[in-house]
Amino acid sequence: IQNGRVIDPSQRLDRIANLLLRDGVIAGFDEQPSSEATIVDAEGLLVVPGLIDINTQLREPGWEEDETIATGTAAAVAGGFTSLAVGPNTDPPLDSQGSVEFVQHQAALAGNCNVVVLACVSKNREGAELAELGSLHAAGAVGFTDAGRPIHNADLMRRALQYAKMFDRPVLNHPEVLELNQDGVMHEGELSTVLGLRVMPAEAEDVMTGRDIRLAEATRGKLHLINISSGDSVELLRRAKDRGVPITAGIAAHHFSLTDAWLRTFDSNCKVNPPLRSRR
């Protein structure tokens, strides 16, 4: 593989280089190819280790007409992803030992890439009663989340962090106070007033971000916040990390490049949760 931009964070490597592959394994670096070698010109392309998606939504079980574990993992490999952590927002949700084992079995049968399971925090993703985290961990779950449903019950969230800490597993939460967002469709700001659309204020995210950080700090349980979008949430996370709170967060790709100004087009593709925020 010639002329590609080789990036390997484990070796702090980021430069244009050649890779020699033999029988599917990297056998040399910056070597000149032999006359028998098959040459792949990667100029203008990235050459990287397999990518990992820690927040994948495969539709099986329950929504096989949209996607199966086999087709979803095949699509992942085609896009360069070799490991997936799949969420529990299926039908039924992944809140039992059998459901976790089912996903693992189907992934093994497909044989496309590595698949690990994020199981439910609460039974049936209803946010009322803690799922059997011990059994889910024993079945192979690597973390716990209710996916797109925020864990609104603070006591349940606290107990989940305490329980998951016993297994050194993270709890992943979507930070959103539903009462503040209600039926909103866009970020609250000057543009929402001009367009006359119902709003999703940044406070709906910031309030739960602050709550979860405090609970993680108190319990020392590992916390990951899914798809943050607010500048104030970023600042809360920065301060928490400075204090040594065991917390991480993810950001959706569109929040890096799009703002609420895109809502001027009334394109329904821009109706996302969390919403596209202001440029600030």
Side-chain angles (χ1 to χ4, degrees), residues 2 11 24 43 50 98 176 185 201 230 239 248 264 267 269-270:
Q2 288 188 331
Q11 301 186 54
E43 184 176 359
E176 177 187 5
V185 296
S230 154
R239 293 177 183 175
T248 56
R264 290 185 181 276
D267 184 346
N269 287 314
C270 297

Side-chain angles (χ1 to χ4, degrees), residues 192-223:
S192 65
T193 303
V194 171
L195 297 178
L197 295 176
R198 295 178 68 92
V199 298
M200 303 173 73
E203 293 79 15
E205 179 179 312
D206 300 338
V207 168
M208 189 167 284
T209 295
R211 182 206 74 173
D212 285 356
I213 288 174
R214 184 67 190 93
L215 292 175
E217 190 167 20
T219 61
R220 304 308 297 175
K222 291 182 178 179
L223 171 68

Side-chain angles (χ1 to χ4, degrees), residues 154-175:
D155 180 56
L156 188 143
M157 182 64 176
R158 181 173 180 270
R159 288 188 288 119
L161 286 165
Q162 289 174 326
Y163 213 136
K165 182 185 175 184
M166 296 170 56
F167 315 116
D168 194 30
R169 293 291 183 260
V171 175
L172 295 79
N173 191 26
H174 168 71

Side-chain angles (χ1 to χ4, degrees), residues 50-260:
L51 302 174
I52 301 170
D53 190 338
I54 66 167
N55 187 23
T56 306
Q57 298 178 13
L58 297 180
R59 300 290 77 204
E60 187 180 3
W63 309 97
E64 290 85 354
E65 68 274 17
D66 295 333
E67 178 182 72
T68 65
I69 291 171
T71 62
T73 53
V77 171
F81 288 83
T82 56
S83 294
L84 307 178
V86 302
N89 47 337
T90 51
D91 185 19
L94 306 181
D95 64 354
S96 68
Q97 190 167 350
S99 61
V100 172
E101 291 171 349
F102 169 80
V103 172
Q104 294 172 331
H105 178 68
Q106 293 297 101
L109 286 177
N112 292 317
C113 65
N114 304 315
V115 173
V116 294
V117 177
L118 299 169
C120 292
V121 168
S122 66
K123 291 184 177 180
N124 206 36
R125 296 178 61 226
E126 293 176 348
E129 185 178 356
L130 199 65
E132 298 289 344
L133 303 191
S135 296
L136 295 171
H137 169 258
V142 300
F144 307 101
T145 180
D146 279 349
R149 293 183 183 176
I151 304 169
H152 58 83
N153 185 316
D155 180 56
L156 188 143
M157 182 64 176
R158 181 173 180 270
R159 288 188 288 119
L161 286 165
Q162 289 174 326
Y163 213 136
K165 182 185 175 184
M166 296 170 56
F167 315 116
D168 194 30
R169 293 291 183 260
V171 175
L172 295 79
N173 191 26
H174 168 71
E176 177 187 5
V177 178
L178 297 175
E179 296 87 347
L180 291 174
N181 275 345
Q182 296 188 20
D183 297 322
V185 296
M186 73 171 294
H187 172 68
E188 182 178 43
E190 181 180 342
L191 187 59
S192 65
T193 303
V194 171
L195 297 178
L197 295 176
R198 295 178 68 92
V199 298
M200 303 173 73
E203 293 79 15
E205 179 179 312
D206 300 338
V207 168
M208 189 167 284
T209 295
R211 182 206 74 173
D212 285 356
I213 288 174
R214 184 67 190 93
L215 292 175
E217 190 167 20
T219 61
R220 304 308 297 175
K222 291 182 178 179
L223 171 68
H224 179 83
L225 297 180
I226 302 171
N227 290 351
I228 62 166
S229 64
S230 154
D232 287 335
S233 286
V234 172
E235 186 58 32
L236 287 169
L237 284 159
R238 182 177 290 119
R239 293 177 183 175
K241 284 176 172 288
D242 288 343
R243 298 196 305 272
V245 179
I247 184 172
T248 56
I251 303 173
H254 47 266
H255 283 114
F256 280 118
S257 54
L258 305 181
T259 70
D260 58 349

